[in-house]
Every structure is written in structure tokens, then in C-alpha cells.
Amino acid sequence: MLPGIGVFGTGPVVKVLVPILRESGFKIEAVWSRTVQDAQEAAKDLAIPFSTNKIDDVLLRKDVDLIFVLCPPNLHAQISVKALGIGKHIVCDKPAGLSQADALKMVRAGQYYPTLISLINHPFRFLPAFIHMKKALKENYLGSPITLIDIRIQSGCLFSDSDIFDWKCDDTMGGGALNLIGSHVVDLITYLLGKKAVRVHGLVRTFTKNTESINGIRNISAPDFCTFQMELENGVLVTATINSHTVGSTFQQEVMVCSSTGHLVVRGGDLFGRKNKGNEEVIYLDVEDLQCPVPNSILPKTFVKGLCKMVAALREAFLPVNEKAGWVKEPVCSAANFEDGLYVQAVLSAVRQSSQSRQWVKVMVMTEQPDKNELLSAVVRRTAISIS
Amino acid sequence: MLPGIGVFGTGPVVKVLVPILRESGFKIEAVWSRTVQDAQEAAKDLAIPFSTNKIDDVLLRKDVDLIFVLCPPNLHAQISVKALGIGKHIVCDKPAGLSQADALKMVRAGQYYPTLISLINHPFRFLPAFIHMKKALKENYLGSPITLIDIRIQSGCLFSDSDIFDWKCDDTMGGGALNLIGSHVVDLITYLLGKKAVRVHGLVRTFTKNTESINGIRNISAPDFCTFQMELENGVLVTATINSHTVGSTFQQEVMVCSSTGHLVVRGGDLFGRKNKGNEEVIYLDVEDLQCPVPNSILPKTFVKGLCKMVAALREAFLPVNEKAGWVKEPVCSAANFEDGLYVQAVLSAVRQSSQSRQWVKVMVMTEQPDKNELLSAVVRRTAISIS
């Protein structure tokens, strides 16, 4: 039995997700946005029966048992924690909240309600090319230990279609290439290798501070470029370059896992490999058409495909259980959970810190909430930096 | 009138260069190698009339007026300085010598004999794709200031064909991806933008320490991977990743120059561009066949093509002047000179230092020879590091 769904947010991901959910048989019962008008418009566009700007009006609905938190990051923790308390399953957008403190709140809530699903939206874990890559790594396709993972992502501008200044233009509100794309990269490494970063070096930059429509008092502070290196606990080196600052670029991704004797590489949605001095061979070509009718979107095709597969997995988790909102674990056991979300925040935070200190920074996963004074001074420090 | 040529070294570059030189009308009069046997073999293979293991026997020949220094880096400075003193033109392999101290000796000698040609072998400066890229940048193709240059090079193993342990396996002897490929990257930026790096961050690694044939007492210490970032004096950020540690990889290069409104990118020997939110367009396709009969070689095609063009430029420099070894400047004015070589060494040295200190390092171009004690302690330090 599939749960009814409540959606927080009305951005591009929501517009893509809702038809995908419907195709899998889910019913979308309610949509929330910060303003009534925006919520009403989205409800009309997407044919959702109920809209509101009050968080509780979605969370308390009896016909809603699964919540998608796809609103700005400053509300992730508040909504997720409350929803779990009310007994609703959660899929929260990446990265979890604005900071480790946010993510830690979510982790604690998730641990407190282990019978509820609590996932982070990292669709690349469900992309067939990466599933095949993980399988090939497990079967020792490379023949010798992994030495290096080299990732390069190019993307178009990460702001809204409307070109209006919103949270995605703002570093302190969780916008930018590091949060929105880098989080997927960090999580992908966890998924593929099951290994964490010990220390990182990063360089985070905002090259484009104004656009034709954003050129007034407020400048864009969200970074549109980052390059970072991670040393994993098993000695593997990861280097990633994410460039989203060149207007009109199409999305391109290449994830290359190297050993001394071969490599595996995902380009777009396809997987290639080379071993024992041989030529590169095709291991998996993503020729399968998307089953779900997805509107034209600025979202990368690989992301949308991963999303489809993730929704399909959620269907498999809920469908076999007759009890309302009951579920089985296996179909979603490879998804990112809130602990993964906390770790991603820890790495992103270390990368930002490294970019400022110009040094390598050790990754420290938060285990206790900082006291309020510390928190305040951190906010002041960060604001001061973003003003300078 | 074309000068007679003396060649130091017998490696893969020499085997490619000699036929190219002949095709342009140059006569190769003498070849030197460290051992008589190796010199004799090369002379026989390449049909060079004279071979020797004595440096002076080449430098003092009356029929030799242009010297190609393509032997191990520890001899670059000694041979180049002596050759200039005897009145011979020099093209020296990159990077110039083993260190800034070597390169500085060469700079001083070059300054002392300004009527002689003294160049560093950086053939990418002569590759049509990069010449067109430089032209497009000058004509403001991008429409807005350059923000970022993103370079990625993948190459096969950088050791000799023979798989015998030699200087290319040894970090302290000048081998490895940073010296042999990174030097071209650093120089290319100077060529394209005319701007120098202020500070750098680098991560230099040796992933493959043994091969099937090199697995005895001596391990490979030359780095087979590096990623580095450079901040240029005009604020442009350069990030480069060079990976040569995966056996059997083919050479691939991508050099992308970005602005907020477009990009120019050289892939292999071709140039593409995108501006004003348009699609990527072809600006230059390298369809021209190499005129010169080049033997099958492990060297990248773009490198060989650049070499052909550089030799053609040398021909243009010498041919119009009837006087023995007389030349005109214009055809070779865009080549890398010894000052460029010194700067490249300064950057490489800063990258190595950054990789050890895990911090950003300021690029300091040497202007005076370090005194012997300093030099000795630096050697001891470096040896200690490479032993550890």
C-alpha cells in the first residue's frame, strides 16, 4: 500500500518529481510553499488537491504519510524533525540543512524513530551506471587497489529559472556549486567505496557575482566553482572539480576510478572500463528510455533518471506491506540516510574552511550540538566573511 | 642557410625529432649519449655520421651550430651554458635542468650571449589549436574577463619503452608527471595569457611504485599524478590535473578557458568555443596531416605536431640569412626562452613544496644562486624526503 505524499517546496525538482511519483502510483495530497500564492500556483500547475503556507497543515494531514522536503535548506531540519515526531516518513533534499548542527538534529530524530524512513535525496545512488560501477569494483574489475578517483562536473547556472535573487544565489542560505553538486560527489564516494574522507583541501569561488537581472544591491555570493581533494581513510585520493559559472553550459559529468592497472569511468549515464593494458570497453550503456513523462527541465538527465529509480525503490519498499505506511527495508537500503547527510555536511564544512585557511583541514563529524554562544560567533564570523 | 645540428640524448623525443629535422632540411651531424655503445646504436639507427660520449666532441664541431639538449635534466645546465660559451644556438628540453639553480645558470648564459638562440622545448606553443586559442582570447571571443582555466591531461606511463629503471623513474633526477607534463601546462598559461602565477597549491603523488620489470631494490619515486592550482597575478584561477599512473592509457588533453559568458576549449588538437549562451562551435579542426614521416612513437600526436611546427619555425629563422648560423628573430619570437624556463622551475618547485607542507606556497623566482651550504642542505632535505 503506497503512502500519500506531502511536498515542501515548489522548485524545479518538485516539478520533475511529482509526475514521476504519480507514474509510480503515489498520490500527492498536499504542497507547501513559503507564500500562499506560490503554493496555490504550484498546486494548480501540478494538480495537487491541497496547498498551504503553514507547515503543520501538511504534516498533520491523515492522508499524508511520506514527506518530501524540497524547500530551502534553512527549513530542512525543522520540518524533518517535526515530521518524524508526528510519525511521517521523510525524504529530505541534499545537503541536509544548512550546517552540521542542522544535520545532527535530523540524525538524532531519525535514530529516535527507527521505524520511519528517513532518507537524503541523493539520486546518483540509484543511477544504473553507478550501481554497475559499484558492482564492478566489488568484483575487483580493476585488478589492483584503487589509487585515485577523479571527478569532473560541468553544469549550467544553478540559480532559479526566473533569475530572481533567492536562496540559491546566497552562500549563507545554502546555495552554490559546493552544496548543490559537491554534496552529491561526496555522497557518491561513500556509496561506491564505503570509505570516509579523513582530510580535505578545497578552493571555492564565486566568479559570477552579477547577472543581467541580478545586478542591484544584492550580489550573488553562492560559489559557482569549486575544486576539492579528499584523502580517504584507506589512502585513496579523490579530486573533484565542479564548474557551474559559465552561462549556458550543458551538464556533463565524468567519474573516473583508477588503479595502477586499469580504470572504470562513468560518463553521463554510461559506464566504461579498461583493465590489463587493454582498450577501454563499454560495460553499461544507458539506452533505456525514462518510463515516466518528465517535463523539460534544467535538471540533468542522469539526475532525473536517478530520481525515477529512487521513486521506484520507494514503491517497492511500501507496496508489499498492507498496513498503512508500513514498509520493508531492502529496496531502499542503499539510499543515503541522515547519518550520511551529516557526514556530507562535515566534509563540505571542511572544504569551505580549507578554502579560507588555504590549508588542508581534518574532517570532523559533529557529535554534539555546539552551545549557543559558539553558534552565534560562527554565524557572525561567516557573515563577516561573506560581507568582506 | 640552415645550421648543422648536434643532438644530446637518444630517447623517444630524439627518435621523433631527427626525421622531422631532416624533413625541414637540417643536417644532423653528431649525437651524444652517456655511453659509447648507446651513442653508436642511435647513430646507426638514425643515420647520424658521428657519435660520442664526450660532450666537447659535439660542442666543438665546426659543422655543428645548433644544439638540441634532450638528455637527462642533470646535464641540461652544464651542456647549455658551455654550448652558448662556444657560440652555439641551443634548444633545451623542458623543464630547464633539475632546479631553479640550474635554470638560473642557463638564464645568465643566455643573457650573456643574446645573439644566440636559446629556447626551451615547449612545442604546445606551436600547436595550431593553441595559437588559435591565443588569437581568440586576444580578440575577446569570450566577451568578458577570463575567470578560470581548467586543464586535464591523461597520459600513459612516462617511463622508457624498455622498462629499465632510469632517470624518468626517479624524482630527484627530474622524472615524473609534474616535471614532464606539468612544465608544459605552466608554460602554456604563460604563452596564452602572458600572466604569471603568484601562489600555488599542489598535490603530487607516486601511485605506482613498482612495475613487472621494476620491482627490485629500487622503487619508482617519480610522481605519476599531480593536481595543482595556480592563482595568477590578474586573479585568474588555473586548476590542472595530470594523471599518468594508469598503465596503457592513451594521451588525452583538455584545456578549457572560461569566462562568465563563454568558454574556449582545446581537446586534443582541436579548438571549440561557446559564447553568449550559444552552443559550442568548432573554431579550428586539426585535419592537416603531418608532412614529416614520423615513426610510431609513444609521444602524443599533439606534441609531435607542435615539434614539427617548432622545427619549421627554426627553419624560417635560419633560412633567410646567408651568414653561417645567422638568424632572424620573428619566426621564433613566441617560443619559450630560458627566462620562461626559470619561471616554470619556480612554479614546479612551489607545487612540490605545497604538496609537502599541505599549504599554499608563494611562487618565488630565484634571482641569485643560493650559496653552497644552502644548496647542500636542500639536497639533503630532498633526499631525506624521497627516502621517507
Side-chain angles (χ1 to χ4, degrees):
Chain A
M1 186 179 159
L2 295 182
I5 286 176
V7 175
F8 286 82
T10 57
V13 179
V14 173
K15 292 189 174 72
V16 168
L17 178 67
V18 166
I20 293 174
L21 284 166
R22 288 219 175 94
E23 185 72 17
S24 278
F26 289 96
K27 269 188 76 183
I28 294 86
E29 303 288 357
V31 62
W32 171 96
S33 179
R34 207 169 46 83
T35 69
V36 175
Q37 194 195 342
D38 190 47
Q40 279 173 351
E41 274 172 23
K44 198 178 153 203
D45 282 0
L46 298 165
I48 299 172
F50 178 78
S51 70
T52 178
N53 70 338
K54 296 197 182 68
I55 291 172
D56 286 359
D57 286 358
V58 176
L59 296 186
L60 293 170
R61 286 184 73 89
K62 292 235 166 85
D63 56 5
V64 166
D65 283 298
L66 172 57
I67 304 283
F68 277 85
V69 183
L70 302 167
C71 58
N74 59 322
L75 293 171
H76 286 179
Q78 182 191 338
I79 297 172
S80 300
V81 170
K82 198 161 191 182
L84 288 169
I86 296 172
K88 312 284 171 161
H89 302 290
I90 289 278
V91 178
C92 180
D93 211 7
K94 88 294 138 185
L98 272 178
S99 61
Q100 282 206 70
D102 276 2
L104 183 57
K105 282 180 204 158
M106 293 168 60
V107 166
R108 289 282 147 81
Q111 287 167 341
Y112 206 78
Y113 302 101
T115 59
L116 294 171
I117 288 181
S118 52
L119 303 180
I120 305 293
N121 178 29
H122 282 304
F124 285 149
R125 288 186 178 228
F126 292 89
L127 191 69
F130 289 124
I131 293 172
H132 282 87
M133 184 182 242
K134 184 176 169 131
K135 189 162 161 275
L137 289 172
K138 206 175 164 191
E139 291 166 355
N140 196 23
Y141 176 92
L142 295 175
S144 57
I146 299 171
T147 48
L148 172 76
I149 301 179
D150 186 1
I151 296 171
R152 185 190 256 196
I153 294 176
Q154 193 178 310
S155 142
C157 179
L158 295 172
F159 314 135
S160 310
D161 301 340
S162 54
D163 251 5
I164 291 168
F165 190 96
D166 68 3
W167 69 273
K168 286 188 183 169
C169 305
D170 192 329
D171 184 32
T172 56
M173 291 289 285
L178 182 63
N179 275 340
L180 302 183
I181 301 180
S183 56
H184 289 305
V185 169
V186 174
D187 182 69
L188 184 63
I189 300 301
T190 313
Y191 170 70
L192 290 173
L193 274 67
K195 298 291 173 189
K196 300 286 166 76
V198 177
R199 58 176 78 80
V200 301
H201 173 266
L203 200 154
V204 183
R205 287 286 184 91
T206 309
F207 286 124
T208 304
K209 297 197 172 74
N210 295 286
T211 66
E212 272 174 40
S213 51
I214 303 171
N215 55 10
I217 299 161
R218 293 202 281 190
N219 285 331
I220 296 160
S221 63
D224 49 20
F225 171 83
C226 61
T227 178
F228 59 89
Q229 289 80 44
M230 313 199 287
E231 280 185 6
L232 304 188
E233 52 196 345
N234 59 348
V236 170
L237 181 73
V238 179
T239 177
T241 301
I242 300 166
N243 183 7
S244 75
H245 90 282
T246 300
V247 175
S249 295
T250 50
F251 188 89
Q252 287 171 21
Q253 66 180 10
E254 186 177 293
V255 176
M256 185 180 246
V257 180
C258 302
S259 78
S260 290
T261 52
H263 71 242
L264 283 160
V265 57
V266 169
R267 296 194 189 97
D270 306 322
L271 175 64
F272 307 86
R274 202 177 51 69
K275 55 179 171 180
N276 298 334
K277 306 191 184 194
N279 291 326
E280 201 175 82
E281 59 180 358
V282 175
I283 297 179
Y284 175 81
L285 276 191
D286 200 344
V287 290
E288 175 199 18
D289 265 345
L290 289 174
Q291 292 301 308
C292 30
V294 174
N296 276 335
S297 171
I298 56 163
L299 295 175
K301 259 200 291 188
T302 49
F303 180 89
V304 174
K305 176 150 234 172
L307 209 57
C308 286
K309 299 282 180 185
M310 191 171 81
V311 167
L314 283 167
R315 179 187 158 87
E316 294 309 310
F318 285 109
L319 204 62
V321 186
N322 278 327
E323 189 192 341
K324 183 174 183 290
W327 60 294
V328 290
K329 197 174 161 56
E330 202 280 327
V332 290
C333 66
S334 65
N337 59 31
F338 283 7
E339 277 88 356
D340 295 319
L342 174 62
Y343 161 72
V344 168
Q345 283 286 13
V347 174
L348 299 185
S349 159
V351 168
R352 274 189 291 263
Q353 207 182 318
S354 164
S355 183
Q356 276 161 20
S357 68
R358 294 180 173 275
Q359 299 189 350
W360 283 73
V361 171
K362 210 172 154 192
V363 176
M364 307 280 273
V365 177
M366 191 179 277
T367 53
E368 272 180 44
Q369 289 293 345
D371 71 42
K372 292 233 169 116
N373 290 335
E374 267 181 56
L375 206 63
L376 187 67
S377 69
V379 169
V380 170
R381 206 161 51 232
R382 201 159 166 203
T383 313
I385 287 158
S386 76
I387 288 169
S388 70
Chain B
M1 187 179 158
L2 295 182
I5 286 178
V7 175
F8 287 83
T10 58
V13 180
V14 173
K15 291 191 174 69
V16 168
L17 179 68
V18 166
I20 293 175
L21 284 167
R22 287 219 175 94
E23 186 72 17
S24 278
F26 288 95
K27 269 187 80 183
I28 294 85
E29 302 288 357
V31 61
W32 171 97
S33 179
R34 208 171 46 83
T35 68
V36 175
Q37 194 196 342
D38 189 48
Q40 278 172 352
E41 272 171 25
K44 199 179 154 204
D45 282 359
L46 297 165
I48 299 173
F50 178 79
S51 70
T52 178
N53 71 338
K54 296 196 183 68
I55 292 172
D56 286 0
D57 285 0
V58 176
L59 297 186
L60 293 171
R61 285 183 73 90
K62 292 232 166 88
D63 55 6
V64 166
D65 282 298
L66 172 57
I67 304 282
F68 277 85
V69 183
L70 302 167
C71 56
N74 60 323
L75 292 171
H76 285 178
Q78 181 190 339
I79 296 171
S80 300
V81 170
K82 198 161 191 182
L84 288 170
I86 297 171
K88 313 283 171 159
H89 302 290
I90 289 279
V91 178
C92 179
D93 212 5
K94 88 294 137 188
L98 273 178
S99 62
Q100 282 206 71
D102 275 3
L104 184 56
K105 281 181 204 158
M106 292 168 62
V107 166
R108 289 283 147 79
Q111 288 167 338
Y112 206 78
Y113 302 102
T115 57
L116 294 170
I117 287 180
S118 52
L119 303 181
I120 305 291
N121 179 28
H122 283 302
F124 285 150
R125 290 187 177 227
F126 291 90
L127 192 69
F130 289 122
I131 293 172
H132 282 88
M133 183 180 243
K134 184 176 168 130
K135 190 160 160 276
L137 289 172
K138 206 175 163 189
E139 290 165 356
N140 196 24
Y141 176 91
L142 294 176
S144 57
I146 299 171
T147 49
L148 172 76
I149 301 179
D150 186 1
I151 297 171
R152 184 190 255 197
I153 294 176
Q154 193 179 312
S155 142
C157 178
L158 295 172
F159 313 136
S160 310
D161 301 339
S162 54
D163 251 6
I164 292 168
F165 190 96
D166 68 3
W167 69 272
K168 285 188 184 170
C169 305
D170 192 329
D171 184 32
T172 55
M173 289 290 283
L178 182 63
N179 275 341
L180 302 183
I181 301 179
S183 57
H184 288 305
V185 169
V186 174
D187 182 69
L188 185 62
I189 301 301
T190 314
Y191 170 70
L192 289 174
L193 273 68
K195 298 292 173 189
K196 299 287 165 77
V198 177
R199 59 176 77 78
V200 299
H201 172 267
L203 201 155
V204 183
R205 287 285 184 92
T206 308
F207 286 123
T208 304
K209 298 200 173 71
N210 295 285
T211 67
E212 274 175 39
S213 51
I214 303 171
N215 54 9
I217 300 162
R218 293 200 282 191
N219 285 330
I220 296 161
S221 62
D224 48 21
F225 171 81
C226 60
T227 178
F228 58 89
Q229 290 79 45
M230 313 199 286
E231 281 185 6
L232 305 188
E233 52 196 343
N234 59 346
V236 170
L237 181 72
V238 179
T239 177
T241 301
I242 300 167
N243 182 7
S244 74
H245 89 283
T246 301
V247 176
S249 295
T250 48
F251 188 88
Q252 286 171 20
Q253 66 179 12
E254 186 177 292
V255 176
M256 185 179 247
V257 181
C258 301
S259 79
S260 290
T261 52
H263 70 240
L264 283 160
V265 56
V266 169
R267 296 193 190 97
D270 306 323
L271 175 65
F272 307 87
R274 202 178 51 69
K275 55 178 171 182
N276 298 333
K277 305 190 182 193
N279 291 325
E280 201 174 80
E281 60 180 358
V282 175
I283 299 180
Y284 175 82
L285 277 190
D286 200 344
V287 289
E288 175 200 20
D289 265 346
L290 288 174
Q291 292 302 308
C292 29
V294 174
N296 275 334
S297 172
I298 56 164
L299 297 175
K301 259 201 289 187
T302 48
F303 181 89
V304 174
K305 175 152 237 174
L307 210 56
C308 285
K309 300 281 181 184
M310 190 172 81
V311 167
L314 283 167
R315 178 187 159 88
E316 294 310 308
F318 285 109
L319 204 61
V321 185
N322 279 326
E323 191 193 339
K324 185 174 181 294
W327 59 293
V328 290
K329 196 173 164 53
E330 202 281 328
V332 290
C333 65
S334 64
N337 59 32
F338 283 7
E339 276 88 357
D340 295 318
L342 173 62
Y343 162 72
V344 168
Q345 283 286 12
V347 175
L348 299 185
S349 160
V351 168
R352 275 189 291 262
Q353 207 183 317
S354 165
S355 183
Q356 277 160 19
S357 68
R358 293 180 173 274
Q359 300 189 347
W360 283 73
V361 171
K362 209 171 155 193
V363 176
M364 307 279 273
V365 177
M366 191 179 276
T367 53
E368 270 180 47
Q369 289 293 343
D371 71 40
K372 292 235 168 114
N373 288 336
E374 270 181 55
L375 206 63
L376 187 65
S377 69
V379 168
V380 170
R381 205 162 51 231
R382 201 160 164 200
T383 311
I385 287 157
S386 77
I387 287 169
S388 71

